[in-house]
Amino acid sequence: MATLTFQRATWCLQISRTSKTFAVSFTTVLPRRSRPGSLPSRSGAFQEPSIRRASRHNQARSAFTSTKVYQAQQAQQSSAAPASETPQNATTQDLSKGLDDQPLVLDEGTTQVDWSRSFHGLSAQPFSKEAVDILLQPMSPDDIEVKPDGIIYLPEIKYRRLLNKAFGPGAWGLAPRGETIVTAKAVTREYALVVLGRLVSVARGEQDYFLPEGIPTAAEGCKSNALMRCCKDLGVASELWDPVFIRKFNAQHVKELFVEHQLTKKRRKMYMRKDGKVSYPFKEIKSFGAS
């Protein structure tokens, strides 16, 4: 506690401060007049002792203090602080730095294979004729979709249906070959397609994302993209990469139109199937200069 005192003959100012309180006191004292005929004091100076006695006697009545106000302010600030502060022990993983999902390294033996690095069974023997006929069957135009930029594709769920039909559920799978890599705008990871206990194909999938909260969904899309690329080695939907088939399909099943975003009023050119309809938030317009 620190105290600073200023004292004069007729007044006394005292300032006290601790870590939690702050007080100021001010006291005024008039000197006593001697009675007629009375003798002066032995020392001849009575002002200083009388000031100290009056200060102690009248401090409770004449002192000005802001102690209670200061303590009330400190209590109010301390009660409001926990509501605005973040707990120090709360931790949040930053997905933009990666998912830290490196595949488990196994010791290859007679009963297990480390698919993160092994090429076991690659090109050992062909599949059965029944499986080959299912994998190489032509795609129906009704199964093919069109992206707004005009690229045709087969939905990833139909690749899974073909593999289940050709080999059966549980007879195939995707094994990660490395850790998920997260860049500023995309997620990428390498996968191996394993069928009937042997490696068939290896491909790297990728998927864009816009916000860090969308990284888990992008990681799932990356896996589906890798499956589509692995299935190219099995001949599944190979016509989607054939320029002759693409031109023929676009002429028969794809239309080009202009649309306007109903909220931003931006206009653009869009491609879609001829049996499709423009949905919200877009609406079809005749051209860029007309509505």
Side-chain angles (χ1 to χ4, degrees):
M1 177 177 179
T3 303
L4 182 62
T5 304
F6 299 91
Q7 187 171 348
R8 292 293 185 268
T10 59
W11 58 269
C12 178
L13 176 64
Q14 185 177 10
I15 302 175
S16 301
R17 185 181 183 278
T18 64
S19 60
K20 294 185 178 180
T21 62
F22 180 82
V24 178
S25 62
F26 181 79
T27 306
T28 59
V29 178
L30 294 177
R32 293 184 303 174
R33 293 183 179 180
S34 60
R35 296 179 181 179
S38 62
L39 297 176
S41 61
R42 183 176 303 177
S43 61
F46 59 89
Q47 287 88 352
E48 293 297 330
S50 63
I51 291 177
R52 288 194 294 269
R53 289 194 300 269
S55 176
R56 290 192 298 269
H57 179 71
N58 299 325
Q59 183 175 6
R61 293 179 298 174
S62 62
F64 168 78
T65 177
S66 59
T67 304
K68 294 184 178 180
V69 177
Y70 181 81
Q71 291 177 346
Q73 292 176 352
Q74 293 295 321
Q76 184 178 4
Q77 292 177 2
S78 61
S79 62
S84 59
E85 295 180 355
T86 303
Q88 298 295 331
N89 55 357
T91 58
T92 303
Q93 182 180 3
D94 187 3
L95 298 181
S96 61
K97 297 182 180 179
L99 302 183
D100 193 17
D101 53 355
Q102 187 72 24
L104 181 64
V105 178
L106 303 176
D107 294 331
E108 293 192 31
T110 58
T111 59
Q112 63 182 7
V113 178
D114 185 4
W115 294 114
S116 65
R117 57 182 179 175
S118 177
F119 292 88
H120 173 75
L122 182 63
S123 70
Q125 61 181 3
F127 294 117
S128 64
K129 184 179 182 306
E130 294 78 8
V132 172
D133 291 341
I134 295 175
L135 297 174
L136 300 182
Q137 64 179 336
M139 292 292 100
S140 171
D142 295 335
D143 293 334
I144 301 174
E145 299 293 339
V146 182
K147 294 183 179 181
D149 57 2
I151 297 177
I152 61 176
Y153 69 99
L154 189 69
E156 54 85 17
I157 188 60
K158 296 184 178 180
Y159 288 98
R160 287 177 164 84
R161 290 175 181 174
L162 284 173
L163 293 175
N164 286 333
K165 186 177 180 180
F167 306 110
W172 66 275
L174 284 175
R177 301 277 290 190
E179 186 178 0
T180 301
I181 300 175
V182 181
T183 64
K185 296 182 179 180
V187 175
T188 178
R189 192 178 195 182
E190 188 178 60
Y191 287 90
L193 177 61
V194 181
V195 179
L196 300 176
R198 57 192 180 97
L199 184 71
V200 173
S201 178
V202 176
R204 177 170 291 276
E206 59 181 342
Q207 180 64 45
D208 296 337
Y209 70 93
F210 300 98
L211 296 174
E213 293 78 6
I215 291 179
T217 302
E220 186 66 20
C222 172
K223 179 180 178 181
S224 298
N225 183 251
L227 175 63
M228 178 268 295
R229 294 179 175 180
C230 287
C231 286
K232 286 194 298 182
D233 292 343
L234 296 177
V236 178
S238 59
E239 57 266 36
L240 299 183
W241 287 267
D242 186 352
V244 177
F245 176 84
I246 293 175
R247 288 192 294 267
K248 183 178 179 181
F249 180 86
N250 288 339
Q252 295 179 357
H253 303 282
V254 179
K255 63 181 179 180
E256 175 185 312
L257 64 157
F258 296 96
V259 296
E260 180 184 71
H261 197 284
Q262 298 186 37
L263 300 178
T264 63
K265 302 302 179 182
K266 292 184 178 181
R267 299 181 178 184
R268 53 175 290 190
K269 181 167 63 174
M270 178 184 292
Y271 297 89
M272 63 185 309
R273 290 179 58 97
K274 290 183 178 181
D275 55 359
K277 294 182 180 181
V278 180
S279 59
Y280 184 84
F282 295 100
K283 69 175 182 178
E284 185 176 359
I285 59 177
K286 295 181 180 179
S287 63
F288 278 102
S291 58

